[in-house]
Amino acid sequence: MEWYRLNNEHDVDSPALLVYPERITHNIELAISMIGDVSRLRPHVKTHKTAEILQLQLDAGITKFKCATIAEAEMLGVCGAPDVLLAYPLHGPKVARFLALVPRFPNTLFSAIVDHEAAAGHLSAAALTAGVAINTYIDLDVGMGRTGIRPGEDALHLYRYCATLQGLQVRGFHAYDGHVREIDLAKRKAICEDNFQPIQHMVRTLQEEGVTSPRIIIGGSPSYPVYAHYPDVECSPGTFVLWDKGYGDTLPEQKFLPAAVLLCRVVSTPGPDRICVDLGYKAVASENLLERRLHFLNAPNLKPISHSEEHLVLAAPADHGYRVGDVVYALPIHVCPTVALYNQLTVVKAQRAVGTWEVAARTR
């Protein structure tokens, strides 16, 4: 029997997102082995948003985490994660919500990012009012053009400015390079080295000024194998824990296993050469082109031809043989936003659906 298939599939409502704990554990162990020192691994929890998967990471000795939302930070606090970086700019009501986590979860060290003096000043004032001190990282833009400040003198000035602010404890630099996606590992390495050199130069400059070892948190899944070999750098991949078809195709050197599978059903056969399944774009991430949203495991002869909220219409051979009610399994191309579409994950052990895990940081 194929690894993904359930022998009680007819008991599972669809669409469903199945997860396989043994494969998740394998992926966690592989990620740790790639970096050697588990204290340098700071996985992003945006991929899974799930307390049970977080607990598997904690059980493996991972103590540092990264997140993108207050809900994810809260989940990390509830689960007792020792060290949490909220790697998203804090503005408006999010500042107070973030600061409220500090006294609520005293055993968790929360950190934030800033990329502008005004944001740093506002966070400092709010922290003083709340009577707390917040670890802070300067968010760097290393080419993605999304958030952050470019490495160089302006970033050094912001670091020095933050060091003068009460309520903040500036600790180092944070950089995300999600734009680095070259399949060729040698090309990827060269780009990562070019991104890292100006950060390394800033760290040396600050050390010469007497600053004690500014930390560097950098990278995502594509660059993880590169930065894992850099000493004293924390790496923050996220997708590895569940993996997906997208990274499986573009990062061939990484041997993580797909650990999340979509289960859907044929709900109609509107023509002799087409079928319809219950996997609309409410059930699978749909930011990619139609042909790059999912990969069918047990039905490679099906090709998407239209997609709507509740339906996915597929071209099929004239003699396809599919019947209403047939179960089809697929890998998501992009698992992170696919997980965010589900309130719960269906847990699979020994090829049986045995229960569910709440996607806790989605619903808070």
Side-chain angles (χ1 to χ4, degrees):
M1 181 181 281
E2 298 95 334
W3 66 268
Y4 53 84
R5 190 183 291 275
L6 305 183
N7 56 28
N8 62 338
E9 62 185 19
H10 295 295
D11 296 330
V12 178
D13 200 0
S14 57
L17 185 57
L18 315 177
V19 291
Y20 302 73
E22 289 186 2
R23 287 180 160 244
I24 293 171
T25 299
H26 165 87
N27 290 344
I28 294 169
E29 292 172 351
L30 177 57
I32 293 172
S33 71
M34 289 169 64
I35 201 166
D37 180 359
V38 71
S39 70
R40 294 180 49 231
L41 182 60
R42 186 184 287 273
H44 205 312
V45 303
K46 69 173 182 176
T47 296
H48 62 81
K49 304 176 186 290
T50 305
E52 289 84 354
I53 296 177
L54 173 59
Q55 190 60 54
L56 292 175
Q57 294 176 313
L58 289 166
D59 291 345
I62 300 172
T63 61
K64 299 175 182 177
F65 298 89
K66 191 165 85 167
C67 64
T69 69
I70 300 293
E72 292 166 5
E74 182 185 17
M75 179 190 74
L76 286 156
V78 169
C79 294
D83 188 328
V84 173
L85 171 64
L86 178 55
Y88 198 89
L90 293 171
H91 294 285
K94 283 186 173 62
V95 174
R97 292 179 61 203
F98 174 76
L99 293 176
L101 298 176
V102 177
R104 183 179 169 194
F105 303 109
N107 295 324
T108 298
L109 175 66
F110 289 99
S111 302
I113 61 169
V114 295
D115 63 1
H116 192 277
E117 283 190 16
H122 182 61
L123 183 60
S124 168
L128 285 174
T129 299
V132 298
I134 299 300
N135 276 9
T136 306
Y137 289 81
I138 306 303
D139 187 33
L140 299 174
D141 174 13
V142 292
M144 197 166 187
R146 190 169 67 179
T147 67
I149 184 172
R150 295 290 294 179
E153 190 54 43
D154 288 345
L156 284 170
H157 174 79
L158 180 58
Y159 191 106
R160 298 182 188 112
Y161 172 71
C162 289
T164 69
L165 295 176
Q166 296 181 14
L168 302 187
Q169 295 177 343
V170 60
R171 295 300 189 191
F173 298 102
H174 166 266
Y176 178 60
D177 56 356
H179 61 293
V180 179
R181 293 175 175 267
E182 279 67 19
I183 295 178
D184 187 313
L185 182 57
K187 292 181 180 178
R188 216 181 315 147
K189 284 181 178 178
I191 296 171
C192 291
E193 289 169 2
D194 287 342
N195 290 340
F196 188 74
Q197 285 178 0
I199 303 175
Q200 192 174 42
H201 177 73
M202 289 193 300
V203 168
R204 289 172 179 164
T205 299
L206 291 169
Q207 288 174 330
E208 290 170 359
E209 296 174 4
V211 177
T212 303
S213 300
R215 302 173 187 174
I216 301 174
I217 301 171
I218 192 168
S221 295
S223 56
Y224 175 56
V226 180
Y227 296 125
H229 294 288
Y230 286 39
D232 304 321
V233 169
E234 290 182 12
C235 301
S236 52
T239 306
F240 74 90
V241 71
L242 293 178
W243 212 228
D244 58 26
K245 177 64 173 173
Y247 276 156
D249 289 344
T250 59
L251 306 176
E253 81 286 350
Q254 299 190 37
K255 304 304 180 183
F256 298 109
L257 300 176
V261 174
L262 294 158
L263 180 152
C264 62
R265 283 185 170 83
V266 178
V267 295
S268 181
T269 54
D273 60 350
R274 66 183 58 193
I275 66 173
C276 181
V277 298
D278 55 351
L279 198 66
Y281 48 68
K282 290 180 180 177
V284 60
S286 301
E287 77 275 20
N288 293 323
L289 295 174
L290 179 57
E291 62 270 18
R292 287 292 295 168
R293 295 179 184 176
L294 45 83
H295 168 76
F296 290 107
L297 290 166
N298 66 324
N301 57 349
L302 298 178
K303 305 297 180 185
I305 56 176
S306 72
H307 207 185
S308 52
E309 293 186 34
E310 311 289 353
H311 307 81
L312 175 62
V313 179
L314 304 162
D319 58 348
H320 58 76
Y322 291 103
R323 296 173 299 177
V324 170
D326 283 351
V327 174
V328 182
Y329 297 84
L331 293 177
I333 298 296
H334 194 182
V335 72
C336 307
T338 297
V339 170
L341 297 171
Y342 288 83
N343 288 327
Q344 60 187 25
L345 308 176
T346 299
V347 181
V348 179
K349 295 183 179 179
Q351 298 197 290
R352 288 187 61 83
V354 297
T356 59
W357 290 343
E358 180 190 2
V359 186
R362 174 185 187 263
T363 56
R364 268 198 182 84

